[in-house]
Amino acid sequence: MPSSQRTHPVEISAGDASSAMDNHVDGQPGNATVRSGTVRGADLSAAVAVLTRPDLAGIVDLVAWARDSWLNVANADGSSRLLLADPTGPWQVLWGRDPVAVQDPMHGSPLKVALDDPSPPNRRNSYPFAGVRLASVFADPTRSPDVVVVHSAAHHWPQRGGHLGEHGSLDAGQSRAPLLLSGAGIRERGLLARAARTVDVGPTLAWLAGASMDDGEETGGAGGPGIGGSGIGGVDGRVLADLCAPGARHVVGLLWDGANCNDLLHLAATGELPAVARLLARGCALTGGAIAEFPSVTLTNHTSALTGVGPGRHGILNNVYFDRETGRRVIANDAATWHVACDQLRPGVRTVFEAIAASRPGVSTACVNEPIDRGATYSTFGMVRAMSGIDGAGGLGDHLPSARDDPHATQEWVAADPDYAWSTQVDAIGLSQIDQLWGGDAEPPAFTWWNTTVTDTGHHGGGPFSPEARASLADADRRLGVFLDLLDARGLTDHTVILLTADHGSEGADPACTGDWDEALRAAGIPFRDEAYGFLYLGDHAAGESPL
């Protein structure tokens, strides 16, 4: 249920709000031990005070930090907290209005509702599973930030790498990825008014493939651990066992990076995504989608989808983060580093590929255009690692097909946007690999994971619902159609189950909603570094230049 129905107010008057926040952050004078490290209480208190100023309310949706046993959130209108030991439990309002009062995962769905109130401010927004998602961000012993700044849904920050279409925030719009299940063993049909989580994807795929992400499992509840539980070594997600059953000969996971759930379902219904409509004819989709882990960014959620755990456990906290143990900045989501992304996984974490290999020794698995590939029999980035003299995936230009000759690409956007052209090349070679893995007479892999890139590029470039975003979905749909035709031609359709999802959602930024909280922090003399524009590491030991 939304946390607005589970909030326990604390008797602190609005007039005492400032002192209440200071006391809550600092506790006692001197150094404050924060869950993510040791930072001076004065720095933490000062940073929160600056970031929750009313003049920054248009760009700062809320800030979050962990102190001792509490997870805290605050903005210009109020503050609340909950016990880290019970992140699904009740929030205590310390003063004003609870910044995460509404946690309805269905908020802003379907498309008409989202269009009627685009990129809403905090008081009209929703923050699904806020406790468990924020708690995970602060769970890593050396990589977690001291303070998280959550962008407002409308914040436009092109000078810091922002786009017309954004994701990364805690709210439903930027966190909602599509989730469709189709084919052999799917129990339901049509659109279902419910939501899942991105951490549910891996456990569900492993289960469908006859494997387990961990041992001793029982199906979990809607927001908690699932077939696998929450114990040591268990996953954070759950198997969607009420929607599907194992037994298919082949399991396929499709990730359309950045695809907007509302628009994907709308365009499938209107006939503009005929391949997605073919999937829906043989299965179901959740209109609430799959809620991404926080931050709702690419590599964090690719990793969560394929490991079934949140960032505080798998270790890839953000696309960029700072590691206090090594004293270095980690750029995880970059063409030059994708092929070594799995080097950042924390001990004890395993991928779907590793789970299948452990449960079914000798079966073949394939990972196409996906950095989180550890344990796969075939891997695109395995080939990249084996190649010498190239700068990761960024050095593959000469090996990629021409975007201008791609019959599945919308040439208008190939010509207009260099990023769209590059993503088209990447996705073209992805389809070529799928054809090699599934064509001919050989038995296809028992499990295939196929990542699509152009959808993220299109949603960034034009924003959700824009011509560029919809063109990118149409391009991905045409490639999917080629694959579905191949299944039909080989007589494999009835023996294959397909899950389609994304790593996050997409929400439109407002070009008039600009500003930079880093300027305010610097003016206040607070030592910090800001990684991925929102992860603050405080203190002189962390301060330094941190460009995106």
Side-chain angles (χ1 to χ4, degrees):
M1 98 178 88
S3 71
S4 57
Q5 300 175 36
R6 298 184 287 106
T7 299
H8 291 187
V10 176
E11 293 300 324
I12 299 177
S13 69
D16 294 332
S18 178
S19 61
M21 185 183 297
D22 289 344
N23 290 338
H24 184 49
V25 172
D26 290 335
Q28 297 177 351
N31 287 343
T33 301
V34 181
R35 190 172 174 84
S36 55
T38 300
V39 61
R40 290 180 303 183
D43 288 339
L44 180 57
S45 179
V48 171
V50 168
L51 293 165
T52 55
R53 288 185 343 211
D55 62 302
L56 293 178
I59 64 172
V60 176
D61 208 34
L62 59 95
V63 296
W65 67 99
R67 166 86 192 278
D68 299 327
S69 58
W70 293 97
L71 171 66
N72 310 271
V73 295
N75 61 16
D77 291 331
S79 177
S80 63
R81 68 179 185 176
L82 89 168
L83 285 167
L84 283 163
D86 184 17
T88 62
W91 288 79
Q92 297 179 354
V93 176
L94 299 176
W95 67 273
R97 183 179 57 82
D98 181 3
V100 292
V102 179
Q103 296 188 26
D104 179 8
M106 304 301 294
H107 181 274
S109 173
L111 178 62
K112 183 182 185 306
V113 176
L115 294 177
D116 286 345
D117 191 12
S119 307
N122 179 270
R123 66 175 56 251
R124 295 201 309 272
N125 218 327
S126 178
Y127 305 88
F129 314 114
V132 292
R133 294 166 68 207
L134 286 171
S136 185
V137 169
F138 294 105
D140 190 282
T142 67
R143 299 172 182 174
S144 291
D146 297 307
V147 179
V148 163
V149 188
V150 178
H151 294 254
S152 68
H155 188 201
H156 187 49
W157 37 286
Q159 293 80 9
R160 299 293 303 271
H163 306 84
L164 289 175
E166 281 302 341
H167 57 84
S169 289
L170 188 69
D171 74 325
Q174 296 191 25
S175 302
R176 180 181 295 115
L179 185 62
L180 288 75
L181 288 157
S182 177
I186 302 306
R187 305 180 193 274
E188 299 286 346
R189 291 291 183 270
L191 302 182
L192 308 178
R194 54 182 281 192
R197 295 175 59 197
T198 294
V199 289
D200 300 335
V201 169
T204 300
L205 288 170
W207 187 65
L208 287 170
S212 167
M213 295 296 287
D214 59 7
D215 298 321
E217 306 138 48
E218 292 183 3
T219 305
I227 291 187
S230 59
I232 295 173
V235 292
D236 297 332
R238 66 190 185 98
V239 172
L240 302 175
D242 60 326
L243 300 180
C244 55
R249 202 161 82 212
H250 304 286
V251 178
V252 178
L254 308 174
L255 189 146
W256 289 10
D257 199 305
N260 181 279
C261 179
N262 286 333
D263 214 25
L264 182 140
L265 296 179
H266 166 73
L267 295 173
T270 58
E272 295 171 77
L273 298 179
V276 174
R278 287 167 69 180
L279 292 183
L280 279 171
R282 303 185 72 248
C284 62
L286 308 188
T287 58
I291 301 300
E293 291 299 289
F294 180 80
S296 53
V297 296
T298 293
L299 205 58
T300 295
N301 282 284
H302 280 242
T303 310
S304 288
L306 285 165
T307 63
V309 299
R313 293 181 63 188
H314 62 58
I316 300 180
L317 272 290
N318 206 326
N319 286 339
V320 184
Y321 52 87
F322 180 66
D323 192 328
R324 296 177 189 81
E325 184 176 34
T326 62
R328 71 182 184 94
R329 182 182 196 233
V330 179
I331 304 175
N333 188 45
D334 186 88
T337 60
W338 285 331
H339 63 297
V340 292
C342 285
D343 292 351
Q344 299 300 321
L345 293 178
R346 287 302 198 186
V349 173
R350 68 174 180 171
T351 68
V352 176
F353 307 104
E354 292 172 315
I356 294 172
S359 298
R360 301 177 61 191
V363 304
S364 175
T365 59
C367 187
V368 176
N369 287 5
E370 169 62 58
I372 307 304
D373 62 349
R374 198 173 67 189
T377 309
Y378 169 90
S379 165
T380 307
F381 284 100
M383 293 190 295
V384 172
R385 289 189 291 272
M387 298 173 71
S388 60
I390 66 167
D391 184 23
L396 289 176
D398 293 340
H399 302 273
L400 299 176
S402 168
R404 292 189 300 273
D405 299 326
D406 189 338
H408 309 109
T410 303
Q411 290 299 319
E412 173 189 357
W413 294 107
V414 168
D417 185 345
D419 290 337
Y420 197 103
W422 186 82
S423 296
T424 295
Q425 293 178 277
V426 171
D427 289 350
I429 204 167
L431 179 59
S432 176
Q433 292 171 81
I434 289 293
D435 183 63
Q436 293 172 25
L437 289 163
W438 284 76
D441 297 324
E443 179 74 357
F447 173 62
T448 301
W449 179 265
W450 177 14
N451 175 41
T452 290
T453 302
V454 75
T455 41
D456 189 63
T457 303
H459 283 76
H460 273 309
F465 324 124
S466 68
E468 184 174 1
R470 289 180 167 177
S472 72
L473 290 170
D475 291 2
D477 189 82
R478 281 188 282 271
R479 295 187 182 98
L480 172 60
V482 172
F483 177 56
L484 297 182
D485 289 345
L486 178 58
L487 293 183
D488 287 345
R490 291 202 59 187
L492 295 172
T493 299
D494 291 338
H495 305 287
T496 302
V497 61
I498 298 173
L499 183 153
L500 189 155
T501 189
D503 48 349
H504 49 71
S506 178
E507 206 161 28
D510 180 355
C513 182
T514 59
D516 184 359
W517 55 72
D518 283 358
E519 294 178 0
L521 291 169
R522 281 191 288 267
I526 299 169
F528 74 98
R529 64 185 300 136
D530 187 349
E531 296 294 358
Y533 201 25
F535 268 33
L536 300 185
Y537 298 83
L538 303 176
D540 296 327
H541 66 288
E545 292 298 318
S546 51
L548 288 178

